[in-house]
Amino acid sequence: SMGDVDPTPDPTGREKDWFEWLSYFVLYYSKTDYRRISYRSNRFCEEFINKQNCSCQRLPLRVERLVLTMALSPMRGLAYTLRNTVYVALTNECNSVTLIASRGPSFKMPVSSGFVHLDNGKEPGAQHVFDVVEDAWREGKEPPEGVVFAGVGEPLLRLDVLKESAKRIKAKRQGIQLRLNSNGLVPAKESARMAAELFACGVEAASVSLTTADPEQYAILMQPTNGCGHADVCTFVTRLVENGVQVTCSAVEHPEVDISATRSLAISLGAVAFVARPYFP
């Protein structure tokens, strides 16, 4: 999600022109049933090109992926893309400061991702998630490299939908990697069960925001609302590792955070990697 992946540079030159046109295109169709436009990528992109009255034969791959993700999504905000990975949003609800907000007040997702919030009051079911992943797999010129459960909210707040979605995706696309992006705020007594269930349904990797090595600072920066704290995040990381999930811990380079200490803590918990993400003041 936005807290997990650093923004790619905004498009420039000819590709920038395409994204500008695309914004108008998506706005034009925002009140229509996307699925009535076209299921086939060639026809869909031809329609897009024709509407812009230009002579280009096809869309750049990144633009085409964005067109297809937005056009084939059964609800606004369900799916977005970063590089060649499909991200799915399960909810806008969160039990702490959101990961996007933790990146700083000026942080924004790249335009090329197609990211938007889910519409208020709308949350996808497992079939919605499965369908949008299948559409991305069938319609894209290249199959997605992976699927990430992310979005602006905390995916684990909809654990049942996450697990069922993962099972359906894995049953059809065994080779695709499923990853969770999470703040890790899981009660310690539930961590082992939840970690085992995630691995059992096919979630092989997780990115957990460790934030800091200081519990008191964590409470200030992340403001958890579910009674959990930094110790619970650490326990969850450990339980994920024990159940075979490849964990990457992250922290934002906030001016007051000791990144070196946070990295050392992450490795001691069993994380396979640690990522320090830029802060956007």
Side-chain angles (χ1 to χ4, degrees), residues 14 18 21 45-46 48-59:
R14 181 58 178 161
W18 278 116
W21 278 117
C45 293
E46 285 172 7
F48 175 72
I49 291 169
N50 290 338
K51 288 182 183 300
Q52 308 319 320
N53 192 29
C54 63
S55 60
C56 188
Q57 295 301 306
R58 61 161 293 175
L59 300 179

Side-chain angles (χ1 to χ4, degrees), residues 126-199:
Q127 190 61 44
H128 292 132
V129 175
F130 174 79
D131 286 345
V132 78
V133 171
E134 277 299 288
D135 287 335
W137 190 283
R138 290 195 303 263
E139 300 298 333
K141 291 293 185 291
E142 298 176 2
E145 294 176 1
V147 175
V148 182
F149 296 99
V152 70
E154 172 53 50
L156 292 179
L157 294 181
R158 303 198 69 218
L159 181 61
D160 288 344
V161 172
L162 190 161
K163 292 191 298 183
E164 182 60 29
S165 302
K167 290 176 182 176
R168 296 186 187 189
I169 294 168
K170 275 292 189 181
K172 186 68 178 291
R173 306 292 179 186
Q174 293 88 348
I176 198 167
Q177 185 190 67
L178 302 183
R179 189 173 89 225
L180 165 71
N181 284 1
S182 175
N183 60 23
L185 284 166
V186 176
K189 63 182 181 181
E190 299 178 17
S191 288
R193 172 188 60 80
M194 191 175 294
E197 291 177 358
L198 287 168
F199 186 74

Side-chain angles (χ1 to χ4, degrees), residues 23-181:
S23 66
Y24 292 104
F25 179 77
V26 171
L27 179 65
Y28 180 78
Y29 280 114
S30 62
K31 296 183 180 180
T32 71
D33 180 357
Y34 287 149
R35 290 175 177 272
R36 295 178 60 185
I37 301 173
S38 174
Y39 262 103
R40 292 296 174 189
S41 61
N42 287 340
R43 282 193 54 200
F44 189 90
C45 293
E46 285 172 7
E47 290 181 25
F48 175 72
I49 291 169
N50 290 338
K51 288 182 183 300
Q52 308 319 320
N53 192 29
C54 63
S55 60
C56 188
Q57 295 301 306
R58 61 161 293 175
L59 300 179
L61 182 60
R62 284 208 301 157
V63 183
E64 185 170 297
R65 172 70 70 185
L66 176 57
V67 171
L68 293 169
T69 298
M70 299 190 75
L72 298 175
S73 176
M75 68 174 61
R76 174 181 161 86
L78 168 57
Y80 55 102
T81 62
L82 289 163
R83 300 176 181 88
N84 194 34
T85 299
V86 176
Y87 288 69
V88 293
L90 301 182
T91 183
N92 288 338
E93 300 298 317
C94 198
N95 49 17
S96 72
V97 169
T98 66
L99 297 184
I100 188 171
S102 74
R103 296 296 300 274
S106 66
F107 175 80
K108 293 181 181 179
M109 288 289 286
V111 174
S112 58
S113 70
F115 169 82
V116 293
H117 288 58
L118 287 164
D119 287 335
N120 287 335
K122 292 186 177 181
E123 294 182 330
Q127 190 61 44
H128 292 132
V129 175
F130 174 79
D131 286 345
V132 78
V133 171
E134 277 299 288
D135 287 335
W137 190 283
R138 290 195 303 263
E139 300 298 333
K141 291 293 185 291
E142 298 176 2
E145 294 176 1
V147 175
V148 182
F149 296 99
V152 70
E154 172 53 50
L156 292 179
L157 294 181
R158 303 198 69 218
L159 181 61
D160 288 344
V161 172
L162 190 161
K163 292 191 298 183
E164 182 60 29
S165 302
K167 290 176 182 176
R168 296 186 187 189
I169 294 168
K170 275 292 189 181
K172 186 68 178 291
R173 306 292 179 186
Q174 293 88 348
I176 198 167
Q177 185 190 67
L178 302 183
R179 189 173 89 225
L180 165 71
N181 284 1

Side-chain angles (χ1 to χ4, degrees), residues 163-242:
K163 292 191 298 183
E164 182 60 29
S165 302
K167 290 176 182 176
R168 296 186 187 189
I169 294 168
K170 275 292 189 181
K172 186 68 178 291
R173 306 292 179 186
Q174 293 88 348
I176 198 167
Q177 185 190 67
L178 302 183
R179 189 173 89 225
L180 165 71
N181 284 1
S182 175
N183 60 23
L185 284 166
V186 176
K189 63 182 181 181
E190 299 178 17
S191 288
R193 172 188 60 80
M194 191 175 294
E197 291 177 358
L198 287 168
F199 186 74
C201 73
V203 176
E204 305 155 288
S207 176
V208 179
S209 180
L210 193 55
T211 306
T212 175
D214 183 341
E216 293 183 1
Q217 186 180 55
Y218 180 90
I220 295 171
L221 292 175
M222 294 303 291
Q223 303 173 30
T225 61
N226 66 342
C228 293
H230 190 257
D232 297 283
V233 177
C234 293
T235 298
F236 186 52
V237 170
T238 301
R239 298 294 177 259
L240 286 170
V241 172
E242 291 173 349

